Amino acid sequence: MSILDEKFEEFQAGSIEERIKCFKQDGRLFDMIVSQQLDRKILNDIYDITNQLRTISKSKSGSIFIQSLLCHKRAMLYFTQPSSRTFLSFESACHMLGMRTSEIRDSRVSSEIKGESFDDSLRTYSSYTDLIIMRNDMENSAERAAWLLNTWSNRCIPVVNGGSGSDQHPTQAILDIYTLQKSFASQGGLDGKTVLMCGDLRRGRTVRSLSYLIKNFEDIRLIYTAPQSFQMKGDVCEFLEKNNIPFIVETESIDNVISEADAIYMTRIQDEYDLVKGESGKVDISRFTIGLPEMKKVKPNGIIMHPFPRRNEIDVAVDSDPRAMYWRQERNGMWTRAALIAYIFNVHNEILNF
Ligand code: CP
Protein backbone atom coordinates (compact mmCIF):
# COMPACT_ATOMS: atom_id res chain seq x y z
CA MET A 1 0.00 0.00 0.00
CA SER A 2 1.46 3.38 -1.03
CA ILE A 3 1.32 6.47 1.13
CA LEU A 4 -1.32 7.78 -1.31
CA ASP A 5 -3.45 4.67 -0.72
CA GLU A 6 -3.15 5.20 3.04
CA LYS A 7 -4.02 8.89 2.85
CA PHE A 8 -7.01 8.23 0.57
CA GLU A 9 -8.25 5.52 2.90
CA GLU A 10 -8.01 8.01 5.76
CA PHE A 11 -9.94 10.57 3.67
CA GLN A 12 -12.63 8.03 2.80
CA ALA A 13 -13.10 7.10 6.44
CA GLY A 14 -14.60 10.58 6.92
CA SER A 15 -18.32 11.25 6.56
CA ILE A 16 -19.67 12.23 3.15
CA GLU A 17 -20.42 15.70 4.56
CA GLU A 18 -16.71 16.12 5.41
CA ARG A 19 -15.45 14.62 2.15
CA ILE A 20 -17.49 16.83 -0.15
CA LYS A 21 -15.86 19.92 1.38
CA CYS A 22 -12.73 18.85 -0.53
CA PHE A 23 -14.61 19.30 -3.81
CA LYS A 24 -15.36 23.00 -3.28
CA GLN A 25 -13.15 26.02 -3.95
CA ASP A 26 -13.82 29.52 -2.57
CA GLY A 27 -17.14 28.18 -1.30
CA ARG A 28 -18.22 27.13 -4.80
CA LEU A 29 -18.72 23.81 -6.58
CA PHE A 30 -15.35 22.89 -8.13
CA ASP A 31 -15.34 19.12 -8.72
CA MET A 32 -18.59 17.27 -9.54
CA ILE A 33 -18.14 13.88 -7.93
CA VAL A 34 -21.28 12.77 -6.07
CA SER A 35 -24.93 13.85 -6.01
CA GLN A 36 -24.71 14.72 -2.30
CA GLN A 37 -22.77 17.87 -3.29
CA LEU A 38 -25.84 19.38 -4.94
CA ASP A 39 -28.57 21.35 -3.23
CA ARG A 40 -31.72 22.83 -4.72
CA LYS A 41 -30.15 26.25 -5.21
CA ILE A 42 -27.28 24.81 -7.30
CA LEU A 43 -29.74 22.66 -9.27
CA ASN A 44 -31.99 25.64 -9.97
CA ASP A 45 -28.98 27.70 -11.05
CA ILE A 46 -27.82 24.94 -13.42
CA TYR A 47 -31.34 24.62 -14.87
CA ASP A 48 -31.65 28.40 -15.38
CA ILE A 49 -28.33 28.34 -17.25
CA THR A 50 -29.51 25.30 -19.24
CA ASN A 51 -32.68 27.06 -20.35
CA GLN A 52 -30.79 30.21 -21.26
CA LEU A 53 -28.19 28.22 -23.25
CA ARG A 54 -30.98 26.56 -25.21
CA THR A 55 -32.50 29.92 -26.06
CA ILE A 56 -29.26 31.73 -26.92
CA SER A 57 -27.98 28.86 -29.08
CA LYS A 58 -30.87 29.29 -31.49
CA SER A 59 -29.13 32.26 -33.13
CA LYS A 60 -25.71 32.36 -34.81
CA SER A 61 -24.65 35.40 -32.79
CA GLY A 62 -25.73 33.64 -29.59
CA SER A 63 -23.77 30.51 -30.47
CA ILE A 64 -20.66 32.57 -31.24
CA PHE A 65 -21.03 34.36 -27.91
CA ILE A 66 -21.29 31.04 -26.01
CA GLN A 67 -18.27 29.68 -27.87
CA SER A 68 -16.22 32.67 -26.75
CA LEU A 69 -16.77 31.98 -23.06
CA LEU A 70 -14.28 29.16 -22.53
CA CYS A 71 -12.25 29.25 -25.76
CA HIS A 72 -9.10 29.68 -23.65
CA LYS A 73 -9.74 26.38 -21.79
CA ARG A 74 -9.14 22.74 -22.66
CA ALA A 75 -11.01 19.67 -21.47
CA MET A 76 -9.96 16.05 -21.40
CA LEU A 77 -12.43 13.20 -21.71
CA TYR A 78 -10.87 10.26 -19.90
CA PHE A 79 -13.40 7.52 -20.60
CA THR A 80 -11.99 4.02 -20.25
CA GLN A 81 -15.43 2.41 -19.82
CA PRO A 82 -17.78 2.36 -22.84
CA SER A 83 -20.12 5.30 -23.33
CA SER A 84 -22.17 6.86 -26.13
CA ARG A 85 -24.37 9.50 -24.51
CA THR A 86 -22.21 10.76 -21.67
CA PHE A 87 -19.10 10.97 -23.84
CA LEU A 88 -20.76 12.63 -26.82
CA SER A 89 -22.92 15.01 -24.80
CA PHE A 90 -19.93 16.18 -22.74
CA GLU A 91 -17.81 16.55 -25.88
CA SER A 92 -20.60 18.55 -27.55
CA ALA A 93 -21.05 20.61 -24.38
CA CYS A 94 -17.33 21.47 -24.30
CA HIS A 95 -17.36 22.44 -27.97
CA MET A 96 -20.50 24.53 -27.46
CA LEU A 97 -18.54 26.55 -24.87
CA GLY A 98 -15.52 26.85 -27.16
CA MET A 99 -13.31 24.39 -25.27
CA ARG A 100 -10.85 22.23 -27.17
CA THR A 101 -10.99 18.58 -26.17
CA SER A 102 -8.61 15.64 -25.99
CA GLU A 103 -9.50 12.10 -25.06
CA ILE A 104 -8.35 8.72 -23.85
CA ARG A 105 -10.98 6.06 -24.35
CA ASP A 106 -8.90 2.95 -23.80
CA SER A 107 -6.15 2.53 -21.19
CA ARG A 108 -4.42 0.08 -23.57
CA VAL A 109 -3.37 3.05 -25.69
CA SER A 110 -2.10 5.13 -22.77
CA SER A 111 0.99 4.50 -20.65
CA GLU A 112 -1.23 2.78 -18.10
CA ILE A 113 -0.56 -0.35 -20.18
CA LYS A 114 3.14 0.05 -19.29
CA GLY A 115 2.26 -0.04 -15.60
CA GLU A 116 1.76 3.66 -14.88
CA SER A 117 -0.47 4.01 -11.82
CA PHE A 118 -3.92 5.61 -11.87
CA ASP A 119 -2.58 8.46 -9.71
CA ASP A 120 0.43 9.18 -11.94
CA SER A 121 -1.76 8.94 -15.04
CA LEU A 122 -4.18 11.47 -13.59
CA ARG A 123 -1.41 13.89 -12.70
CA THR A 124 0.01 13.49 -16.20
CA TYR A 125 -3.35 14.17 -17.86
CA SER A 126 -3.88 17.22 -15.65
CA SER A 127 -0.69 18.74 -17.12
CA TYR A 128 -2.34 19.17 -20.50
CA THR A 129 -5.88 20.23 -19.70
CA ASP A 130 -8.02 22.54 -17.55
CA LEU A 131 -10.80 20.04 -16.83
CA ILE A 132 -10.94 16.25 -16.60
CA ILE A 133 -14.24 14.52 -17.30
CA MET A 134 -13.88 10.86 -16.51
CA ARG A 135 -15.61 7.50 -16.53
CA ASN A 136 -14.28 4.12 -15.57
CA ASP A 137 -15.39 0.88 -13.92
CA MET A 138 -13.80 1.57 -10.52
CA GLU A 139 -16.02 2.74 -7.68
CA ASN A 140 -14.80 6.02 -6.18
CA SER A 141 -12.34 6.59 -9.03
CA ALA A 142 -13.53 10.15 -9.69
CA GLU A 143 -13.43 10.85 -5.96
CA ARG A 144 -9.84 9.63 -5.83
CA ALA A 145 -8.91 11.73 -8.87
CA ALA A 146 -10.40 14.91 -7.42
CA TRP A 147 -8.88 14.25 -3.98
CA LEU A 148 -5.48 13.57 -5.56
CA LEU A 149 -5.43 16.78 -7.61
CA ASN A 150 -6.80 18.89 -4.75
CA THR A 151 -4.49 17.63 -2.03
CA TRP A 152 -1.38 16.08 -3.58
CA SER A 153 -0.75 17.82 -6.87
CA ASN A 154 0.21 21.42 -7.56
CA ARG A 155 -2.03 21.41 -10.63
CA CYS A 156 -5.49 21.59 -9.19
CA ILE A 157 -8.09 21.38 -11.97
CA PRO A 158 -11.76 20.37 -11.72
CA VAL A 159 -12.75 16.73 -12.12
CA VAL A 160 -16.24 15.74 -13.29
CA ASN A 161 -17.55 12.24 -12.68
CA GLY A 162 -19.11 10.78 -15.84
CA GLY A 163 -19.74 7.44 -14.11
CA SER A 164 -17.61 5.69 -11.48
CA GLY A 165 -18.23 1.93 -11.47
CA SER A 166 -21.59 0.97 -10.02
CA ASP A 167 -21.30 3.82 -7.54
CA GLN A 168 -22.45 7.20 -8.92
CA HIS A 169 -23.31 9.06 -12.11
CA PRO A 170 -24.22 12.52 -10.79
CA THR A 171 -24.43 14.37 -14.12
CA GLN A 172 -26.98 11.79 -15.29
CA ALA A 173 -29.00 12.60 -12.18
CA ILE A 174 -28.76 16.32 -12.98
CA LEU A 175 -30.22 15.76 -16.45
CA ASP A 176 -32.81 13.35 -15.05
CA ILE A 177 -34.09 15.92 -12.56
CA TYR A 178 -34.13 18.56 -15.31
CA THR A 179 -36.27 16.21 -17.43
CA LEU A 180 -38.60 15.50 -14.51
CA GLN A 181 -38.98 19.18 -13.65
CA LYS A 182 -39.69 20.11 -17.27
CA SER A 183 -42.10 17.20 -17.82
CA PHE A 184 -44.12 18.14 -14.73
CA ALA A 185 -43.87 21.92 -15.25
CA SER A 186 -47.64 22.24 -15.64
CA GLN A 187 -48.24 20.01 -12.59
CA GLY A 188 -46.16 21.93 -10.02
CA GLY A 189 -42.83 20.29 -10.93
CA LEU A 190 -41.32 17.24 -9.29
CA ASP A 191 -42.42 18.10 -5.74
CA GLY A 192 -45.16 15.79 -4.49
CA LYS A 193 -44.66 13.14 -7.17
CA THR A 194 -44.17 9.38 -6.94
CA VAL A 195 -41.07 8.12 -8.76
CA LEU A 196 -40.79 4.43 -9.58
CA MET A 197 -37.32 3.03 -10.37
CA CYS A 198 -37.13 -0.37 -11.99
CA GLY A 199 -34.35 -2.74 -13.08
CA ASP A 200 -30.87 -3.30 -11.70
CA LEU A 201 -31.11 -0.96 -8.73
CA ARG A 202 -28.25 -2.69 -6.90
CA ARG A 203 -25.61 -1.92 -9.50
CA GLY A 204 -27.23 0.90 -11.46
CA ARG A 205 -25.29 4.09 -10.70
CA THR A 206 -27.96 6.27 -12.34
CA VAL A 207 -30.69 5.24 -9.89
CA ARG A 208 -28.30 5.61 -6.96
CA SER A 209 -27.32 9.17 -7.92
CA LEU A 210 -30.95 10.06 -8.68
CA SER A 211 -32.09 8.74 -5.30
CA TYR A 212 -29.58 10.99 -3.53
CA LEU A 213 -30.77 14.05 -5.51
CA ILE A 214 -34.41 13.40 -4.60
CA LYS A 215 -33.57 14.76 -1.12
CA ASN A 216 -33.76 18.27 -2.61
CA PHE A 217 -37.48 17.96 -3.38
CA GLU A 218 -40.59 18.00 -1.21
CA ASP A 219 -43.00 15.13 -0.57
CA ILE A 220 -41.47 12.66 -3.01
CA ARG A 221 -42.30 9.00 -2.66
CA LEU A 222 -40.06 6.36 -4.20
CA ILE A 223 -40.94 2.86 -5.37
CA TYR A 224 -38.02 0.48 -5.95
CA THR A 225 -39.21 -2.25 -8.30
CA ALA A 226 -36.84 -5.14 -9.01
CA PRO A 227 -36.32 -8.82 -8.24
CA GLN A 228 -34.84 -9.19 -4.76
CA SER A 229 -31.34 -9.85 -6.10
CA PHE A 230 -31.34 -6.51 -7.94
CA GLN A 231 -32.87 -4.42 -5.14
CA MET A 232 -31.42 -1.11 -3.95
CA LYS A 233 -28.44 -1.39 -1.61
CA GLY A 234 -28.65 -0.57 2.09
CA ASP A 235 -26.53 2.61 1.91
CA VAL A 236 -29.11 4.40 -0.27
CA CYS A 237 -32.05 3.04 1.79
CA GLU A 238 -30.37 4.30 4.97
CA PHE A 239 -29.89 7.71 3.35
CA LEU A 240 -33.61 7.85 2.49
CA GLU A 241 -34.62 6.83 6.01
CA LYS A 242 -32.29 9.41 7.55
CA ASN A 243 -33.83 12.11 5.36
CA ASN A 244 -37.44 10.99 5.89
CA ILE A 245 -37.99 10.16 2.24
CA PRO A 246 -40.68 7.46 2.05
CA PHE A 247 -39.97 4.47 -0.18
CA ILE A 248 -41.44 1.05 -0.78
CA VAL A 249 -39.84 -2.05 -2.25
CA GLU A 250 -41.68 -4.21 -4.81
CA THR A 251 -40.06 -7.51 -5.77
CA GLU A 252 -42.84 -9.37 -7.63
CA SER A 253 -43.82 -7.33 -10.67
CA ILE A 254 -43.90 -3.77 -11.99
CA ASP A 255 -47.59 -4.42 -12.70
CA ASN A 256 -48.39 -4.25 -8.97
CA VAL A 257 -47.25 -0.61 -8.66
CA ILE A 258 -47.08 0.95 -12.11
CA SER A 259 -50.41 2.78 -11.80
CA GLU A 260 -49.24 4.60 -8.63
CA ALA A 261 -46.26 6.28 -10.30
CA ASP A 262 -45.97 9.72 -11.90
CA ALA A 263 -42.52 8.94 -13.30
CA ILE A 264 -41.30 5.47 -14.24
CA TYR A 265 -37.52 5.23 -14.51
CA MET A 266 -36.44 2.01 -16.22
CA THR A 267 -32.86 0.67 -16.22
CA ARG A 268 -31.06 -2.23 -17.83
CA ILE A 269 -29.33 -5.11 -16.06
CA GLN A 270 -25.70 -4.14 -15.41
CA ASP A 271 -24.23 -7.55 -16.19
CA GLU A 272 -20.79 -6.07 -16.86
CA TYR A 273 -20.42 -6.19 -13.06
CA ASP A 274 -21.32 -9.90 -12.74
CA LEU A 275 -18.87 -11.64 -10.40
CA VAL A 276 -19.62 -14.94 -12.15
CA LYS A 277 -20.10 -14.58 -15.90
CA GLY A 278 -23.75 -15.06 -16.86
CA GLU A 279 -25.17 -14.91 -13.31
CA SER A 280 -27.50 -11.99 -14.11
CA GLY A 281 -29.02 -13.95 -16.98
CA LYS A 282 -30.38 -16.49 -14.51
CA VAL A 283 -32.65 -13.90 -12.85
CA ASP A 284 -36.15 -13.70 -14.31
CA ILE A 285 -36.80 -10.04 -15.16
CA SER A 286 -39.77 -10.66 -17.45
CA ARG A 287 -42.16 -9.01 -14.94
CA PHE A 288 -40.04 -5.86 -14.81
CA THR A 289 -40.46 -4.57 -18.36
CA ILE A 290 -42.82 -2.12 -20.08
CA GLY A 291 -44.73 -2.70 -23.29
CA LEU A 292 -48.07 -1.53 -24.63
CA PRO A 293 -50.15 -3.60 -22.10
CA GLU A 294 -48.30 -1.96 -19.16
CA MET A 295 -48.67 1.51 -20.73
CA LYS A 296 -52.46 1.16 -20.35
CA LYS A 297 -51.95 1.31 -16.58
CA VAL A 298 -49.60 4.33 -16.58
CA LYS A 299 -51.21 7.62 -15.49
CA PRO A 300 -52.32 9.85 -18.40
CA ASN A 301 -49.84 12.52 -17.19
CA GLY A 302 -47.17 10.00 -16.25
CA ILE A 303 -43.78 9.78 -17.97
CA ILE A 304 -41.39 6.97 -18.88
CA MET A 305 -37.66 7.58 -18.55
CA HIS A 306 -34.53 5.51 -19.14
CA PRO A 307 -30.88 6.60 -18.94
CA PHE A 308 -30.13 4.26 -21.87
CA PRO A 309 -28.73 2.12 -23.35
CA ARG A 310 -31.80 -0.10 -23.19
CA ARG A 311 -32.12 -3.74 -24.04
CA ASN A 312 -35.70 -4.93 -23.81
CA GLU A 313 -36.90 -3.16 -20.63
CA ILE A 314 -39.02 -0.85 -22.78
CA ASP A 315 -40.59 -2.21 -25.93
CA VAL A 316 -39.85 0.04 -28.95
CA ALA A 317 -43.62 0.15 -29.50
CA VAL A 318 -43.74 2.52 -26.49
CA ASP A 319 -41.48 5.06 -28.26
CA SER A 320 -44.34 6.75 -30.09
CA ASP A 321 -46.35 7.27 -26.88
CA PRO A 322 -46.17 10.96 -25.85
CA ARG A 323 -45.37 9.83 -22.30
CA ALA A 324 -42.06 8.31 -23.49
CA MET A 325 -39.52 10.91 -22.42
CA TYR A 326 -36.22 9.03 -22.87
CA TRP A 327 -35.13 10.51 -26.21
CA ARG A 328 -35.65 14.02 -24.90
CA GLN A 329 -33.94 12.98 -21.68
CA GLU A 330 -30.71 12.02 -23.47
CA ARG A 331 -30.66 15.27 -25.44
CA ASN A 332 -31.18 17.23 -22.21
CA GLY A 333 -27.81 15.79 -21.16
CA MET A 334 -25.87 17.98 -23.57
CA TRP A 335 -27.51 21.19 -22.35
CA THR A 336 -27.33 20.45 -18.63
CA ARG A 337 -23.69 19.36 -18.97
CA ALA A 338 -22.80 22.57 -20.81
CA ALA A 339 -24.55 24.50 -18.02
CA LEU A 340 -22.63 22.57 -15.35
CA ILE A 341 -19.27 23.31 -17.01
CA ALA A 342 -20.17 27.01 -17.33
CA TYR A 343 -21.14 27.00 -13.65
CA ILE A 344 -17.88 25.31 -12.56
CA PHE A 345 -15.82 27.85 -14.54
CA ASN A 346 -17.95 30.70 -13.17
CA VAL A 347 -18.97 32.11 -16.57
CA HIS A 348 -22.65 31.39 -16.05
CA ASN A 349 -23.61 34.96 -15.16
CA GLU A 350 -22.47 36.07 -18.61
CA ILE A 351 -24.87 33.52 -20.08
CA LEU A 352 -27.72 34.57 -17.79
CA ASN A 353 -27.13 38.27 -18.54
CA PHE A 354 -26.83 37.85 -22.33
N1 CP B 1 -26.73 7.12 -19.70
C1 CP B 1 -25.45 6.82 -19.98
O1 CP B 1 -24.57 6.93 -19.11
O2 CP B 1 -25.24 6.40 -21.25
P1 CP B 1 -23.83 6.02 -21.86
O3 CP B 1 -23.34 4.80 -21.11
O4 CP B 1 -24.05 5.76 -23.32
O5 CP B 1 -22.89 7.17 -21.62
Side-chain angles (χ1 to χ4, degrees):
M1 201 185 227
S2 72
I3 183 163
L4 274 173
D5 292 333
E6 280 172 28
K7 296 249 175 227
F8 186 58
E9 214 174 270
E10 233 172 75
F11 173 74
Q12 284 221 301
S15 67
I16 187 70
E17 290 79 13
E18 277 302 314
R19 276 149 56 203
I20 60 179
K21 287 181 190 160
C22 177
F23 308 132
K24 271 185 169 183
Q25 259 192 26
D26 304 324
R28 298 188 74 255
L29 185 77
F30 184 71
D31 305 291
M32 179 67 266
I33 306 300
V34 290
S35 283
Q36 294 95 316
Q37 289 174 264
L38 300 166
D39 58 25
R40 190 137 176 185
K41 161 90 175 75
I42 299 178
L43 287 173
N44 287 342
D45 285 349
I46 291 172
Y47 299 152
D48 286 345
I49 304 160
T50 303
N51 290 334
Q52 179 74 340
L53 279 172
R54 294 177 81 142
T55 306
I56 299 175
S57 295
K58 288 191 175 112
S59 72
K60 188 172 175 182
S61 59
S63 294
I64 291 169
F65 163 74
I66 294 166
Q67 271 179 34
S68 72
L69 291 173
L70 291 175
C71 59
H72 56 306
K73 298 285 183 190
R74 290 158 296 180
M76 181 190 175
L77 293 133
Y78 174 37
F79 274 54
T80 53
Q81 196 187 32
S83 168
S84 296
R85 278 146 289 271
T86 312
F87 180 86
L88 286 172
S89 61
F90 262 123
E91 188 182 48
S92 303
C94 289
H95 294 169
M96 194 192 297
L97 293 158
M99 299 178 93
R100 283 155 294 160
T101 53
S102 53
E103 64 186 59
I104 285 189
R105 297 208 67 175
D106 186 343
S107 45
R108 286 174 305 180
V109 296
S110 77
S111 282
E112 286 171 78
I113 195 75
K114 301 176 210 159
E116 188 160 46
S117 68
F118 175 78
D119 297 329
D120 283 359
S121 299
L122 243 297
R123 289 191 67 172
T124 300
Y125 303 149
S126 74
S127 299
Y128 308 120
T129 189
D130 303 295
L131 167 70
I132 292 178
I133 305 162
M134 59 182 286
R135 162 178 292 194
N136 69 32
D137 58 8
M138 277 190 296
E139 281 189 17
N140 304 317
S141 49
E143 183 168 344
R144 173 131 182 174
W147 166 85
L148 178 83
L149 297 183
N150 289 340
T151 61
W152 200 259
S153 155
N154 54 7
R155 183 144 171 83
C156 183
I157 60 165
V159 173
V160 172
N161 183 1
S164 48
S166 56
D167 171 32
Q168 284 236 13
H169 194 354
T171 66
Q172 176 73 43
I174 292 173
L175 79 92
D176 290 340
I177 295 280
Y178 178 77
T179 306
L180 285 158
Q181 286 279 65
K182 254 190 126 49
S183 303
F184 295 130
S186 61
Q187 303 171 57
L190 176 56
D191 292 322
K193 303 292 183 296
T194 295
V195 179
L196 181 158
M197 301 187 199
C198 180
D200 192 342
L201 308 178
R202 181 164 63 91
R203 302 174 296 186
R205 56 193 172 200
T206 62
V207 281
R208 289 173 57 77
S209 287
L210 182 57
S211 296
Y212 284 122
L213 266 200
I214 290 290
K215 172 181 175 248
N216 297 296
F217 294 83
E218 304 293 326
D219 302 324
I220 304 274
R221 181 172 166 258
L222 295 179
I223 307 176
Y224 289 137
T225 313
Q228 191 56 50
S229 52
F230 291 143
Q231 268 298 341
M232 187 55 88
K233 280 196 206 164
D235 56 347
V236 172
C237 296
E238 280 164 28
F239 171 86
L240 298 176
E241 278 161 7
K242 196 172 147 200
N243 288 285
N244 297 317
I245 301 165
F247 67 97
I248 62 164
V249 170
E250 165 61 43
T251 58
E252 288 298 315
S253 168
I254 193 170
D255 243 27
N256 294 342
V257 281
I258 198 164
S259 59
E260 295 175 35
D262 298 292
I264 296 157
Y265 192 101
M266 302 298 290
T267 62
R268 77 176 165 88
I269 302 306
Q270 309 279 316
D271 48 14
E272 61 269 45
Y273 299 112
D274 278 0
L275 296 176
V276 178
K277 200 170 163 46
E279 66 181 348
S280 291
K282 295 186 182 137
V283 182
D284 178 13
I285 52 157
S286 58
R287 292 190 308 279
F288 299 90
T289 60
I290 292 193
L292 294 181
E294 287 78 21
M295 286 305 287
K296 289 192 183 131
K297 298 184 181 172
V298 175
K299 290 183 181 180
N301 290 331
I303 61 165
I304 313 295
M305 295 172 67
H306 196 307
F308 275 11
R310 74 174 149 185
R311 287 180 185 159
N312 50 8
E313 309 80 45
I314 304 176
D315 191 320
V316 291
V318 175
D319 291 5
S320 51
D321 189 298
R323 294 168 291 180
M325 214 48 72
Y326 28 90
W327 295 108
R328 264 186 240 181
Q329 181 186 353
E330 71 170 17
R331 189 159 166 76
N332 287 341
M334 178 180 72
W335 298 107
T336 52
R337 285 171 172 137
L340 173 70
I341 294 169
Y343 185 82
I344 287 173
F345 282 99
N346 211 0
V347 293
H348 55 288
N349 282 327
E350 292 172 61
I351 295 170
L352 293 172
N353 294 330
F354 179 76

